[in-house]
Amino acid sequence: MAKIKPSKGAPYARILGVGGYRPTRVVPNEVILETIDSSDEWIRSRSGIETRHWANDAETVAAMSIEASGKAIADAGISAAQIGGVIVSTVSHFKQTPAIATEIADKLGTNKAAAFDISAGCAGFGYGLTLAKGMIVEGSAEYVLVIGVERLSDLTDLEDRATAFLFGDGAGAVVVGPAQEPGIGPTVWGSEGDKSETIKQTVPWTDYRSGEVAKFPAITQEGQAVFRWAVFEMAKVAKEALDAAGITADDLDVFIPHQANERIIDSMVKTLKLPESVTVARDVRTTGNTSAASIPLAMERLLATGEAKSGDTALVIGFGAGLVYAATVVTLP
């Protein structure tokens, strides 16, 4: 019986570079109030959101991804030709096939990199990061590009008072590459499909195509149920990720949760008993909820503003539709 030759990859992996792209149009709460009965004070108190970015016709999922990826590749100090894998997490690329990752890989100038899309909602960046780490350690790629990108304005019902103010557009990307010591900790991830109805698309595309419904599908959610789940269950997952990495909250420099809602972020900080010295990402205030893009966008902003620095130890956690989640500890690039 023949023996298969073992793979030879790097001993460990880490994030080497990060980049982000926010659409040029900034949308304040006043614009949202044109279609829902609410107030700026209510939106801010419920979510922390003051503004969000909405893409124009030219700022496609691919275009935003390419802009963010170019920055991440430059930040990593490598060339696009060295990228061996492109993973794109998105729920707002409206072609079932081919994967948008293939177009992005080509336009960036990679050398026929493996390319595929994943659909894991707001946990998509964590899922992609875990897959990239596996590819590098296994040896199937030396560098992998992980992109979280959304045009959620295309899936927002502006008359839905519960969600109209939540969503924004943008793209965040990181380059993951080889390392001689751990830079991405064990991932704590999973799903709770019995709660899948709490965040969902309003109707299937087929209902819209057949004319059974006239309104374009949108994202809807049961706000209170999602809030309770995120506050009580995701703090447990975050703690598990710290334990898996062999550190405590006192060892953290930075906390980068999914930017869904500032009240959720505040509750997690309190439950985890994070020291005041820990920098907490609050990109949600000006970027809104960008689903899979929110963690890399928040990471990029913290590094750009100097609130976080290269080498810092950060806890990242994403959670959303599915319901799915993924948490890990990383060393910032």
Side-chain angles (χ1 to χ4, degrees):
M1 183 181 294
K3 292 184 178 180
I4 297 174
K5 183 179 179 180
S7 301
K8 290 185 178 180
Y12 304 106
R14 66 165 292 168
I15 299 173
L16 300 175
V18 60
Y21 180 83
R22 293 172 174 80
T24 55
R25 183 187 177 192
V26 177
V27 180
N29 289 338
E30 285 73 21
V31 171
I32 307 299
L33 297 176
E34 294 173 5
T35 52
I36 60 171
D37 180 17
S38 187
S39 68
D40 177 60
E41 190 279 330
W42 187 90
I43 293 173
R44 291 181 188 231
S45 65
R46 300 287 289 185
S47 68
I49 298 172
E50 302 167 10
T51 61
R52 73 286 291 147
H53 295 254
W54 283 354
N56 60 34
D57 290 345
E59 292 167 322
T60 63
V61 166
M64 292 191 293
S65 297
I66 290 166
E67 288 290 334
S69 298
K71 295 176 184 177
I73 292 168
D75 192 42
I78 66 169
S79 69
Q82 292 175 271
I83 298 290
V86 178
I87 303 170
V88 177
S89 178
T90 185
V91 298
S92 46
H93 169 52
F94 293 147
K95 287 184 179 179
Q96 191 70 37
T97 192
I100 194 64
T102 59
E103 178 183 338
I104 294 167
D106 176 64
K107 289 186 175 179
L108 283 172
T110 69
N111 185 21
K112 299 181 180 179
F116 57 95
D117 297 351
I118 60 174
S119 177
C122 305
F125 176 74
Y127 274 51
L129 195 63
T130 304
L131 294 172
K133 172 186 173 182
M135 291 167 70
I136 290 160
V137 173
E138 186 270 340
S140 60
E142 185 176 12
Y143 299 100
V144 178
L145 183 65
V146 179
I147 304 166
V149 57
E150 300 292 2
R151 272 184 56 124
L152 294 181
S153 57
D154 292 334
L155 287 167
T156 298
D157 181 352
L158 293 178
E159 297 178 347
D160 181 355
R161 189 173 184 270
T163 61
F165 59 90
L166 287 176
F167 301 120
D169 303 337
V174 298
V175 172
V176 182
Q180 293 304 308
E181 58 183 37
I184 302 173
T187 300
V188 177
W189 57 352
S191 65
E192 298 186 33
D194 60 318
K195 300 179 181 65
S196 61
E197 290 295 300
T198 56
I199 306 175
K200 64 180 182 179
Q201 184 172 302
T202 49
V203 295
W205 299 113
T206 48
D207 286 2
Y208 181 74
R209 181 186 65 183
S210 66
E212 292 182 45
V213 294
K215 201 169 188 177
F216 193 74
I219 296 173
T220 186
Q221 69 175 30
E222 298 173 16
Q224 286 302 313
V226 173
F227 182 87
R228 287 193 298 270
W229 175 76
V231 167
F232 295 110
E233 299 302 322
M234 291 305 98
K236 298 176 186 176
V237 171
K239 179 62 167 59
E240 288 180 34
L242 290 174
D243 292 343
I247 67 172
T248 69
D250 291 335
D251 298 315
L252 279 179
D253 300 305
V254 185
F255 179 43
I256 312 178
H258 165 48
Q259 302 293 291
N261 180 305
E262 193 164 34
R263 290 171 63 207
I264 293 174
I265 294 171
D266 288 340
S267 295
M268 293 183 72
V269 168
K270 183 177 180 180
T271 302
L272 289 168
K273 299 179 180 178
L274 296 185
E276 290 186 7
S277 60
V278 174
T279 298
V280 179
R282 299 184 184 277
D283 196 43
V284 65
R285 293 173 179 171
T286 56
T287 307
N289 180 345
T290 55
S291 189
S294 78
I295 291 175
L297 278 174
M299 183 185 296
E300 184 235 16
R301 174 161 282 173
L302 289 176
L303 289 166
T305 60
E307 295 172 83
K309 63 184 184 300
S310 175
D312 278 353
T313 299
L315 169 64
V316 299
I317 178 170
F319 45 85
L323 293 170
V324 295
Y325 55 87
T328 188
V329 174
V330 303
T331 302
L332 294 183

